[in-house]
Amino acid sequence: MTSPIVRFAPSPTGRIHIGNARTALLNYLFARKGNGQFILRYDDTDLERSTRAFADGIAEDLTWLGVHPDLTIRQSERVSLYDEAAERLRGMGRLYPCYETEDELDRRRKRQAARNLPPVYDRAALKMTPEERERFEAEGRKPHWRFLLDHRSVAWHDLVRGPAHVDCASLSDPVLIRADGSYLYTLPSVVDDIATGVTHIIRGEDHVTNTGVQIQLFEVLAGRVPIFGHHNLLTTASGEGLSKRLGHFSLGSLRETGLEPMAAASLAVLVGSSEAIRPIATLEELGSLIQLDRLSRAPAKFDDHELEGLNARLLHGMDYGVAAPRLTAMGIAGGEAFWLAVRGNISRFDAVGQWWNIVNGPMEPVVEDGAFLEAALGALPEEPWSGETWAEWTGSVKATTGRKGKDLFMPLRLALTGLEHGPELKALLPLIGRARATERLKAR
Ligand code: GLU
């Protein structure tokens, strides 16, 4: 197979959510696996709703996920290509002007509904006489333009769904150009896919009907059709479709909560599969787990709790080599021993800061039983300390005080860390060291 060229084509009318991330990642990982190219294309022909700020935000979100486009293009800068394609379609008799107003179309649809007919555009504009057209123009009406569909079934082999088809005989001829001359999504998308040599179009299954129409456009404009794959969509835990407008699971908000991008990425891609609970450290590994033809066909529920759990597991197993630069950036000098001691007790990376303060101080010891702590201080071994020191020390404190279990351990934990719960003291004690431990046991 030649190298694939794929694209992710958000309209920058809001920030992207986890469902969009699913589309972006399925494309990106597909391209990486096949040594291909990933294009980021902003579908910003809707000039009123698209903004540069949203586009920049989307780029930031993708960078956070680890998705790096090989090429970025903006449809707003490519209108002349769409004009050329529209002209070609007119020349072929496949793009025709229509003068109906929204109201007129609406009335027509109601009449169809009353007669139990589907609300399909009746192609009345094709029967318009030159005089009628002149009259509309004289009234100042501007035409919108529809693509004349071939009334036949369009079939393709879908990368996800297998054999698929759309019956174009039951569709309205789609409007490609609005009365104000601006383009709807359908044509520019095909024109750009052709111009950029896109080989595979992987997108949500909400686009299946568009695919029927767009395959006809590919056929007439390029004589060849890319391969399509339509993945299932994500919903909220209660089954609602994700909405950019409502800000469901926006990547920006997930990032702000300090979530690991790999937790978001792997759940976005693997949600609904048995692999979804497994922490995955790199996009490369994630890519190796994806098989488009094995994606579930049903909508998949994206659940906060699952994401939280996955994030924690990812941190609990994170190698020191991965954590080290981030620890350094936070000014944490505890090295591998510190990371291994605390990683199992955090559900956000930043929480290591709290444990670093506890190890390194200053911190507030909780001293509840002065006499006992004094005895414990007396038994504190000399340094050097190791992973055995805690057992040695508590063994001799037990022997001198007669305490055991929680009565023995809890006052020591409270004095040394100020908290009832935390990493194993066996690992923390050598990090705290004798000087700080002494100070804390004496703090009365
Ligand atoms: N702008 C379209 C969307 O966001 C792109 C669909 C496609 O991938 O062709 O839904």
Side-chain angles (χ1 to χ4, degrees), residues 115-408:
R115 294 165 55 206
N116 267 336
L117 294 173
V120 174
Y121 178 62
D122 60 5
R123 295 184 163 171
L126 284 179
K127 295 173 210 115
M128 193 169 44
T129 62
E131 293 74 33
E132 282 171 316
R133 187 169 179 180
E134 263 169 45
R135 207 177 58 237
F136 287 137
E137 291 282 340
E139 280 174 22
R141 289 204 201 186
K142 294 268 171 279
H144 53 277
W145 295 79
R146 291 190 189 256
F147 177 51
L148 185 67
L149 281 173
D150 229 353
H151 275 171
R152 61 182 165 89
S153 176
V154 169
W156 70 96
H157 188 89
D158 197 284
L159 287 176
V160 181
R161 298 154 67 94
H165 72 277
V166 167
D167 180 12
C168 289
S170 63
L171 301 180
S172 296
D173 288 336
V175 177
L176 301 189
I177 308 173
R178 297 185 188 90
D180 68 2
S182 67
Y183 287 91
L184 283 112
Y185 144 82
T186 312
L187 178 66
S189 180
V190 171
V191 169
D192 284 332
D193 288 335
I194 295 169
T196 53
V198 164
T199 58
H200 296 73
I201 296 181
I202 302 167
R203 58 187 178 186
E205 63 187 13
D206 49 336
H207 286 289
V208 166
T209 306
N210 286 337
T211 296
V213 171
Q214 289 182 326
I215 284 180
Q216 290 203 9
L217 281 168
F218 277 109
E219 286 169 348
V220 294
L221 291 173
R224 63 164 199 97
V225 178
I227 295 167
F228 284 86
H230 297 86
H231 62 76
N232 59 343
L233 301 181
L234 305 189
T235 69
T236 62
S238 57
E240 254 180 297
L242 300 184
S243 144
K244 246 197 249 180
R245 203 168 39 80
L246 297 178
H248 286 138
F249 292 115
S250 79
L251 292 193
S253 66
L254 295 178
R255 185 177 59 206
E256 272 163 28
T257 71
L259 200 83
E260 295 299 303
M262 274 311 298
S266 40
L267 198 57
V269 169
L270 296 175
V271 61
S273 88
S274 57
E275 306 271 21
I277 51 165
R278 184 168 130 192
I280 293 163
T282 62
L283 285 182
E284 204 178 6
E285 189 186 346
L286 182 59
S288 73
L289 295 174
I290 298 174
Q291 277 176 287
L292 289 174
D293 58 355
R294 297 192 45 198
L295 293 183
S296 132
R297 296 277 304 268
K301 288 189 172 163
F302 193 84
D303 188 335
D304 249 347
H305 299 296
E306 243 179 281
L307 185 59
E308 289 300 327
L310 186 59
N311 196 68
R313 285 193 295 282
L314 199 61
L315 293 169
H316 299 170
M318 186 180 279
D319 287 339
Y320 175 62
V322 177
R326 295 168 69 178
L327 294 171
T328 307
M330 289 173 74
I332 292 175
E336 185 165 13
F338 168 74
W339 174 245
L340 295 182
V342 304
R343 67 177 183 179
N345 282 77
I346 54 174
S347 53
R348 284 289 186 273
F349 192 92
D350 279 0
V352 292
Q354 177 203 351
W355 292 114
W356 179 239
N357 289 340
I358 284 171
V359 163
N360 195 44
M363 52 72 78
E364 221 24 65
V366 175
V367 172
E368 285 183 343
D369 189 342
F372 170 70
L373 292 181
E374 206 168 306
L377 180 59
L380 201 59
E382 288 303 321
E383 285 179 326
W385 283 1
S386 72
E388 311 308 317
T389 307
W390 170 251
E392 266 171 46
W393 178 40
T394 52
S396 73
V397 177
K398 181 177 175 181
T400 48
T401 63
R403 291 202 191 196
K404 55 180 196 263
K406 201 175 165 202
D407 289 341
L408 171 65

Side-chain angles (χ1 to χ4, degrees), residues 399-422:
T400 48
T401 63
R403 291 202 191 196
K404 55 180 196 263
K406 201 175 165 202
D407 289 341
L408 171 65
F409 300 122
M410 190 52 79
L412 298 178
R413 178 177 283 283
L414 285 171
L416 292 172
T417 69
L419 296 172
E420 283 183 16
H421 301 284

